Amino acid sequence: IIPYSTEIMAVVKANAYGHGIVETSTFLNSIGINNFAVATLEEGIILRENKINGNILILGYTDIQNIEYVIKYDLIQTIVDYDYAKNINSLHLSSKLKCHIKINTGLNRIGENYNNIDKFLEIFKMKNLNILGCFTHLAVANSLDEDDVIFTKKQIENFYTCINHIKSQGYDTGKLHVQNTYGTLNYPELNCDYVRLGVGMYGIYNSDRHIN
C-alpha cells in the first residue's frame, strides 16, 4: 500500500499501546524496522537501555533542562515551535541536537504554524540544531466524510507549501512524514520518507473509521 522507498516508523508510545514497548520494539528490530516514535524522553531512554537500534523520535515536548539526555541517548527531539527552538539554541550543548520540526497545518495542538515561513527559516539557521526531518499530523484522516477529506487535503497542501518555501531558500528539509495509520490507509498516494504506523500496527482501529 505504500511506495517501496517509504519506510515504516513504528509508533510505540504508551507502552506500545499496552503491548509492551520493549518486547514490541525488540521484535520490530529483529524484522528490520529501524525507525521508532515515542511520546516522551522517558520512553526513548527505555528503548535505548534495552538495546533498541535505529532512529527514535520523541513526538512530544521535552523540558529544556533535559535536552542533554536526548543527546546522551542518541534520540531525536521534535521541535514543537519557534520559541522552543530558540530556547534550545540558547543552551550550551555537548553537540548539536538531532531533531524533526513539527509543522502545524491545522490541528493546532503543537507545531509552528505553516504560514510562519520566516520563523521556519530562522529555525534552520540555528547552530544547535541538526534538522533531520519535518512532519505534520493529519487530524481527521480516519474519516472519508466530505468535509473531513477536504480538511485533510488542505492540511497536506499546507504542509507541502511550507516545505517548498523552505527548500526554495536552499535548506534541506530532511525526511518527511505526514501519514499516521489512517493517513496511510486513506491517502496511500503520498510519497513520504516515512509512514507513522501506530494503532494499525497492532490490529486496532476506531469503530467509526471510514477506509476506502
Side-chain angles (χ1 to χ4, degrees), residues 170-210:
Y171 294 104
D172 181 359
T173 52
K175 302 288 189 179
L176 304 180
H177 45 115
V178 173
Q179 300 134 295
N180 54 11
T181 291
Y182 297 111
T184 305
L185 292 168
N186 286 335
Y187 301 88
E189 69 277 5
L190 296 180
N191 191 6
C192 293
D193 295 290
Y194 301 132
V195 292
R196 299 188 306 271
L197 296 186
V199 291
M201 195 167 57
Y202 309 97
I204 304 168
Y205 59 88
N206 293 337
S207 60
D208 62 346
R209 70 174 183 144
H210 303 287

Side-chain angles (χ1 to χ4, degrees), residues 93-118:
L93 299 177
S94 58
S95 65
K96 287 189 175 185
L97 177 72
K98 292 181 178 179
C99 59
H100 283 204
I101 299 174
K102 176 70 178 291
I103 299 175
N104 173 16
T105 57
L107 182 58
N108 298 324
R109 210 156 51 190
I110 64 171
E112 187 60 49
N113 189 281
Y114 73 96
N115 276 319
N116 297 333
I117 298 300
D118 288 345

Side-chain angles (χ1 to χ4, degrees), residues 148-189:
D148 291 334
V149 170
I150 291 171
F151 183 80
T152 298
K153 288 184 175 179
K154 184 61 177 174
Q155 279 196 275
I156 294 167
E157 179 186 336
N158 291 343
F159 179 77
Y160 282 105
T161 296
C162 180
I163 290 296
N164 290 334
H165 273 301
I166 296 168
K167 285 183 175 180
S168 73
Q169 298 303 306
Y171 294 104
D172 181 359
T173 52
K175 302 288 189 179
L176 304 180
H177 45 115
V178 173
Q179 300 134 295
N180 54 11
T181 291
Y182 297 111
T184 305
L185 292 168
N186 286 335
Y187 301 88
E189 69 277 5

